[in-house]
Amino acid sequence: MKKVYTGTGRRKSSIAQVKMVPGNGKITVNGKDVNDFFPYETNIMDLKQPLVATSTADTFDIDVKVNGGGFTGQTGAIRLGITRALLEYDKNNDPESETSFRKILKTAGFITRDSRCKERKKPGLKAARKAPQFSKR
């Protein structure tokens, strides 16, 4: 029985549930290969960053369920989910040591959730801040 490491990531309006098992580096998103799911190579590079930083890109098979938002939000959510799963895998290691995943990922800035999201529309305006054109007469 393989040990399963899980992590949940959120970004904008996207939520990703990540399951990580020891394997050979295969990533599936909503049942599809990651290269078929995301249209841009930059999205794929972005979500693999925690694996590259910790040198575990070929160590785990990752299965992701993601919904909500667009490609960028989903990529950010998956990246945070992978980071949290890696932290669960490495939880017995001393967080102060130089080789701990926590120290590596914290330095790279992957542990912090990006809380930026769309600002709500305000009454009397066309969008959050866009006002109707001003007419002097």
Side-chain angles (χ1 to χ4, degrees):
M1 174 84 187
K2 290 184 176 181
K3 178 82 172 97
V4 177
Y5 304 98
T6 60
T8 302
R10 293 180 187 85
R11 169 85 169 92
K12 293 188 175 182
S13 60
S14 302
I15 300 171
Q17 295 171 315
V18 177
K19 288 182 183 164
M20 202 168 70
V21 292
N24 54 10
K26 189 166 177 273
I27 301 175
T28 56
V29 181
N30 290 353
K32 295 181 183 177
D33 185 62
V34 71
N35 296 310
D36 298 334
F37 190 81
F38 287 111
Y40 306 113
E41 192 63 37
T42 51
N43 292 130
I44 299 163
M45 285 170 30
D46 194 29
L47 70 86
K48 287 183 179 178
Q49 282 179 329
L51 298 168
V52 173
T54 55
S55 305
T56 54
D58 300 329
T59 314
F60 296 105
D61 284 343
I62 298 172
D63 184 39
V64 181
K65 286 192 178 81
V66 66
N67 63 346
F71 294 126
T72 308
Q74 288 182 349
T75 302
I78 293 170
R79 185 171 83 171
L80 183 60
I82 290 172
T83 301
R84 288 180 173 169
L86 285 169
L87 290 176
E88 186 184 325
Y89 165 74
D90 196 50
K91 67 183 170 204
N92 295 331
N93 198 350
D94 178 35
E96 296 300 315
S97 73
E98 290 298 317
T99 58
S100 78
F101 285 0
R102 179 157 191 85
K103 192 161 199 131
I104 294 165
L105 294 168
K106 184 77 173 170
T107 308
F110 298 141
I111 293 178
T112 309
R113 186 229 196 263
D114 191 347
S115 61
R116 295 176 297 168
C117 62
K118 190 170 183 175
E119 192 175 335
R120 82 174 197 86
K121 183 191 174 301
K122 313 296 187 313
L125 301 181
K126 292 185 172 191
R129 297 177 187 229
K130 182 170 175 43
Q133 186 173 6
F134 177 73
S135 171
K136 203 173 220 180
R137 286 176 252 299

PDB file of all heavy atoms in Angstrom, residues 34-35 38 40-52 75 79 110:
ATOM      1  N   VAL A  34      -1.312  16.426 -17.861  1.00  0.00           N
ATOM      2  CA  VAL A  34      -1.144  17.863 -17.626  1.00  0.00           C
ATOM      3  C   VAL A  34      -0.884  18.623 -18.928  1.00  0.00           C
ATOM      4  O   VAL A  34      -1.344  19.754 -19.104  1.00  0.00           O
ATOM      5  CB  VAL A  34      -0.034  18.122 -16.571  1.00  0.00           C
ATOM      6  CG1 VAL A  34       1.337  17.814 -17.122  1.00  0.00           C
ATOM      7  CG2 VAL A  34      -0.080  19.547 -16.068  1.00  0.00           C
ATOM      8  N   ASN A  35      -0.175  17.985 -19.890  1.00  0.00           N
ATOM      9  CA  ASN A  35       0.121  18.654 -21.163  1.00  0.00           C
ATOM     10  C   ASN A  35      -1.128  18.799 -22.034  1.00  0.00           C
ATOM     11  O   ASN A  35      -1.202  19.701 -22.868  1.00  0.00           O
ATOM     12  CB  ASN A  35       1.197  17.881 -21.927  1.00  0.00           C
ATOM     13  CG  ASN A  35       2.504  17.867 -21.174  1.00  0.00           C
ATOM     14  OD1 ASN A  35       2.988  18.896 -20.741  1.00  0.00           O
ATOM     15  ND2 ASN A  35       3.056  16.688 -20.991  1.00  0.00           N
ATOM     16  N   PHE A  38      -3.606  21.834 -19.832  1.00  0.00           N
ATOM     17  CA  PHE A  38      -3.224  23.248 -19.898  1.00  0.00           C
ATOM     18  C   PHE A  38      -2.706  23.587 -21.289  1.00  0.00           C
ATOM     19  O   PHE A  38      -1.852  22.883 -21.833  1.00  0.00           O
ATOM     20  CB  PHE A  38      -2.160  23.573 -18.844  1.00  0.00           C
ATOM     21  CG  PHE A  38      -2.706  23.611 -17.446  1.00  0.00           C
ATOM     22  CD1 PHE A  38      -2.360  22.642 -16.528  1.00  0.00           C
ATOM     23  CD2 PHE A  38      -3.580  24.605 -17.053  1.00  0.00           C
ATOM     24  CE1 PHE A  38      -2.862  22.665 -15.239  1.00  0.00           C
ATOM     25  CE2 PHE A  38      -4.096  24.646 -15.772  1.00  0.00           C
ATOM     26  CZ  PHE A  38      -3.736  23.672 -14.869  1.00  0.00           C
ATOM     27  N   TYR A  40      -0.888  26.236 -22.257  1.00  0.00           N
ATOM     28  CA  TYR A  40       0.373  26.963 -22.330  1.00  0.00           C
ATOM     29  C   TYR A  40       1.456  26.254 -21.523  1.00  0.00           C
ATOM     30  O   TYR A  40       1.211  25.782 -20.415  1.00  0.00           O
ATOM     31  CB  TYR A  40       0.201  28.395 -21.805  1.00  0.00           C
ATOM     32  CG  TYR A  40      -0.901  29.150 -22.492  1.00  0.00           C
ATOM     33  CD1 TYR A  40      -2.046  29.516 -21.801  1.00  0.00           C
ATOM     34  CD2 TYR A  40      -0.812  29.474 -23.840  1.00  0.00           C
ATOM     35  CE1 TYR A  40      -3.072  30.197 -22.433  1.00  0.00           C
ATOM     36  CE2 TYR A  40      -1.830  30.156 -24.475  1.00  0.00           C
ATOM     37  CZ  TYR A  40      -2.959  30.518 -23.764  1.00  0.00           C
ATOM     38  OH  TYR A  40      -3.975  31.183 -24.392  1.00  0.00           O
ATOM     39  N   GLU A  41       2.651  26.232 -22.076  1.00  0.00           N
ATOM     40  CA  GLU A  41       3.790  25.602 -21.405  1.00  0.00           C
ATOM     41  C   GLU A  41       4.156  26.339 -20.116  1.00  0.00           C
ATOM     42  O   GLU A  41       4.625  25.729 -19.160  1.00  0.00           O
ATOM     43  CB  GLU A  41       4.988  25.594 -22.370  1.00  0.00           C
ATOM     44  CG  GLU A  41       6.146  24.721 -21.936  1.00  0.00           C
ATOM     45  CD  GLU A  41       5.802  23.246 -21.851  1.00  0.00           C
ATOM     46  OE1 GLU A  41       5.029  22.750 -22.685  1.00  0.00           O
ATOM     47  OE2 GLU A  41       6.312  22.577 -20.917  1.00  0.00           O
ATOM     48  N   THR A  42       3.911  27.659 -20.078  1.00  0.00           N
ATOM     49  CA  THR A  42       4.241  28.436 -18.880  1.00  0.00           C
ATOM     50  C   THR A  42       3.400  27.992 -17.681  1.00  0.00           C
ATOM     51  O   THR A  42       3.888  28.000 -16.552  1.00  0.00           O
ATOM     52  CB  THR A  42       4.029  29.947 -19.119  1.00  0.00           C
ATOM     53  OG1 THR A  42       2.727  30.157 -19.661  1.00  0.00           O
ATOM     54  CG2 THR A  42       5.067  30.488 -20.058  1.00  0.00           C
ATOM     55  N   ASN A  43       2.124  27.609 -17.925  1.00  0.00           N
ATOM     56  CA  ASN A  43       1.282  27.106 -16.839  1.00  0.00           C
ATOM     57  C   ASN A  43       1.875  25.829 -16.248  1.00  0.00           C
ATOM     58  O   ASN A  43       1.910  25.664 -15.022  1.00  0.00           O
ATOM     59  CB  ASN A  43      -0.137  26.810 -17.338  1.00  0.00           C
ATOM     60  CG  ASN A  43      -0.911  28.047 -17.732  1.00  0.00           C
ATOM     61  OD1 ASN A  43      -1.483  28.114 -18.793  1.00  0.00           O
ATOM     62  ND2 ASN A  43      -0.919  29.056 -16.871  1.00  0.00           N
ATOM     63  N   ILE A  44       2.328  24.951 -17.108  1.00  0.00           N
ATOM     64  CA  ILE A  44       2.884  23.670 -16.660  1.00  0.00           C
ATOM     65  C   ILE A  44       4.183  23.897 -15.884  1.00  0.00           C
ATOM     66  O   ILE A  44       4.405  23.295 -14.826  1.00  0.00           O
ATOM     67  CB  ILE A  44       3.098  22.723 -17.860  1.00  0.00           C
ATOM     68  CG1 ILE A  44       1.753  22.437 -18.534  1.00  0.00           C
ATOM     69  CG2 ILE A  44       3.775  21.432 -17.434  1.00  0.00           C
ATOM     70  CD1 ILE A  44       1.845  21.872 -19.915  1.00  0.00           C
ATOM     71  N   MET A  45       5.028  24.801 -16.390  1.00  0.00           N
ATOM     72  CA  MET A  45       6.275  25.126 -15.688  1.00  0.00           C
ATOM     73  C   MET A  45       5.970  25.719 -14.317  1.00  0.00           C
ATOM     74  O   MET A  45       6.638  25.403 -13.329  1.00  0.00           O
ATOM     75  CB  MET A  45       7.101  26.131 -16.498  1.00  0.00           C
ATOM     76  CG  MET A  45       7.801  25.522 -17.696  1.00  0.00           C
ATOM     77  SD  MET A  45       8.555  26.711 -18.834  1.00  0.00           S
ATOM     78  CE  MET A  45       9.004  28.082 -17.821  1.00  0.00           C
ATOM     79  N   ASP A  46       4.946  26.569 -14.243  1.00  0.00           N
ATOM     80  CA  ASP A  46       4.573  27.240 -13.006  1.00  0.00           C
ATOM     81  C   ASP A  46       4.127  26.227 -11.947  1.00  0.00           C
ATOM     82  O   ASP A  46       4.528  26.312 -10.792  1.00  0.00           O
ATOM     83  CB  ASP A  46       3.454  28.250 -13.290  1.00  0.00           C
ATOM     84  CG  ASP A  46       3.248  29.217 -12.146  1.00  0.00           C
ATOM     85  OD1 ASP A  46       4.225  29.493 -11.431  1.00  0.00           O
ATOM     86  OD2 ASP A  46       2.106  29.691 -11.973  1.00  0.00           O
ATOM     87  N   LEU A  47       3.296  25.267 -12.321  1.00  0.00           N
ATOM     88  CA  LEU A  47       2.795  24.327 -11.313  1.00  0.00           C
ATOM     89  C   LEU A  47       3.842  23.302 -10.894  1.00  0.00           C
ATOM     90  O   LEU A  47       3.751  22.704  -9.830  1.00  0.00           O
ATOM     91  CB  LEU A  47       1.512  23.638 -11.776  1.00  0.00           C
ATOM     92  CG  LEU A  47       1.493  22.614 -12.892  1.00  0.00           C
ATOM     93  CD1 LEU A  47       1.792  21.222 -12.380  1.00  0.00           C
ATOM     94  CD2 LEU A  47       0.127  22.617 -13.550  1.00  0.00           C
ATOM     95  N   LYS A  48       4.900  23.118 -11.707  1.00  0.00           N
ATOM     96  CA  LYS A  48       5.973  22.179 -11.366  1.00  0.00           C
ATOM     97  C   LYS A  48       7.071  22.818 -10.512  1.00  0.00           C
ATOM     98  O   LYS A  48       7.973  22.121 -10.049  1.00  0.00           O
ATOM     99  CB  LYS A  48       6.613  21.599 -12.630  1.00  0.00           C
ATOM    100  CG  LYS A  48       5.754  20.590 -13.348  1.00  0.00           C
ATOM    101  CD  LYS A  48       6.487  20.016 -14.542  1.00  0.00           C
ATOM    102  CE  LYS A  48       5.653  18.974 -15.254  1.00  0.00           C
ATOM    103  NZ  LYS A  48       6.342  18.449 -16.440  1.00  0.00           N
ATOM    104  N   GLN A  49       7.009  24.120 -10.288  1.00  0.00           N
ATOM    105  CA  GLN A  49       8.074  24.824  -9.570  1.00  0.00           C
ATOM    106  C   GLN A  49       8.418  24.235  -8.194  1.00  0.00           C
ATOM    107  O   GLN A  49       9.590  24.077  -7.883  1.00  0.00           O
ATOM    108  CB  GLN A  49       7.732  26.309  -9.426  1.00  0.00           C
ATOM    109  CG  GLN A  49       7.985  27.094 -10.692  1.00  0.00           C
ATOM    110  CD  GLN A  49       7.612  28.549 -10.545  1.00  0.00           C
ATOM    111  OE1 GLN A  49       6.704  28.901  -9.798  1.00  0.00           O
ATOM    112  NE2 GLN A  49       8.307  29.411 -11.262  1.00  0.00           N
ATOM    113  N   PRO A  50       7.421  23.880  -7.348  1.00  0.00           N
ATOM    114  CA  PRO A  50       7.785  23.299  -6.044  1.00  0.00           C
ATOM    115  C   PRO A  50       8.539  21.972  -6.186  1.00  0.00           C
ATOM    116  O   PRO A  50       9.440  21.679  -5.406  1.00  0.00           O
ATOM    117  CB  PRO A  50       6.437  23.080  -5.348  1.00  0.00           C
ATOM    118  CG  PRO A  50       5.460  23.903  -6.076  1.00  0.00           C
ATOM    119  CD  PRO A  50       5.980  24.098  -7.451  1.00  0.00           C
ATOM    120  N   LEU A  51       8.167  21.175  -7.197  1.00  0.00           N
ATOM    121  CA  LEU A  51       8.837  19.894  -7.422  1.00  0.00           C
ATOM    122  C   LEU A  51      10.276  20.102  -7.879  1.00  0.00           C
ATOM    123  O   LEU A  51      11.186  19.391  -7.461  1.00  0.00           O
ATOM    124  CB  LEU A  51       8.067  19.074  -8.465  1.00  0.00           C
ATOM    125  CG  LEU A  51       6.632  18.695  -8.092  1.00  0.00           C
ATOM    126  CD1 LEU A  51       5.894  18.156  -9.300  1.00  0.00           C
ATOM    127  CD2 LEU A  51       6.625  17.688  -6.964  1.00  0.00           C
ATOM    128  N   VAL A  52      10.488  21.103  -8.742  1.00  0.00           N
ATOM    129  CA  VAL A  52      11.832  21.408  -9.238  1.00  0.00           C
ATOM    130  C   VAL A  52      12.698  21.952  -8.100  1.00  0.00           C
ATOM    131  O   VAL A  52      13.862  21.566  -7.961  1.00  0.00           O
ATOM    132  CB  VAL A  52      11.760  22.408 -10.418  1.00  0.00           C
ATOM    133  CG1 VAL A  52      13.139  22.872 -10.831  1.00  0.00           C
ATOM    134  CG2 VAL A  52      11.027  21.785 -11.595  1.00  0.00           C
ATOM    135  N   THR A  75      -3.678  26.992 -12.127  1.00  0.00           N
ATOM    136  CA  THR A  75      -2.249  26.703 -12.008  1.00  0.00           C
ATOM    137  C   THR A  75      -1.731  27.093 -10.628  1.00  0.00           C
ATOM    138  O   THR A  75      -1.020  26.324  -9.987  1.00  0.00           O
ATOM    139  CB  THR A  75      -1.451  27.458 -13.087  1.00  0.00           C
ATOM    140  OG1 THR A  75      -1.942  27.092 -14.375  1.00  0.00           O
ATOM    141  CG2 THR A  75       0.024  27.148 -13.010  1.00  0.00           C
ATOM    142  N   ARG A  79      -0.275  24.593  -7.715  1.00  0.00           N
ATOM    143  CA  ARG A  79       1.063  24.810  -7.166  1.00  0.00           C
ATOM    144  C   ARG A  79       1.037  24.836  -5.642  1.00  0.00           C
ATOM    145  O   ARG A  79       1.873  24.222  -4.978  1.00  0.00           O
ATOM    146  CB  ARG A  79       1.654  26.117  -7.709  1.00  0.00           C
ATOM    147  CG  ARG A  79       3.090  26.331  -7.278  1.00  0.00           C
ATOM    148  CD  ARG A  79       3.712  27.487  -7.985  1.00  0.00           C
ATOM    149  NE  ARG A  79       3.366  28.730  -7.334  1.00  0.00           N
ATOM    150  CZ  ARG A  79       3.895  29.910  -7.630  1.00  0.00           C
ATOM    151  NH1 ARG A  79       4.770  30.003  -8.602  1.00  0.00           N
ATOM    152  NH2 ARG A  79       3.527  30.988  -6.997  1.00  0.00           N
ATOM    153  N   PHE A 110       6.591  29.794  -2.046  1.00  0.00           N
ATOM    154  CA  PHE A 110       5.494  28.940  -2.498  1.00  0.00           C
ATOM    155  C   PHE A 110       4.480  28.617  -1.398  1.00  0.00           C
ATOM    156  O   PHE A 110       3.378  28.171  -1.679  1.00  0.00           O
ATOM    157  CB  PHE A 110       6.032  27.624  -3.062  1.00  0.00           C
ATOM    158  CG  PHE A 110       6.917  27.796  -4.265  1.00  0.00           C
ATOM    159  CD1 PHE A 110       8.040  27.019  -4.434  1.00  0.00           C
ATOM    160  CD2 PHE A 110       6.625  28.744  -5.238  1.00  0.00           C
ATOM    161  CE1 PHE A 110       8.861  27.171  -5.539  1.00  0.00           C
ATOM    162  CE2 PHE A 110       7.436  28.915  -6.343  1.00  0.00           C
ATOM    163  CZ  PHE A 110       8.556  28.125  -6.494  1.00  0.00           C
TER     164      PHE A 110
END
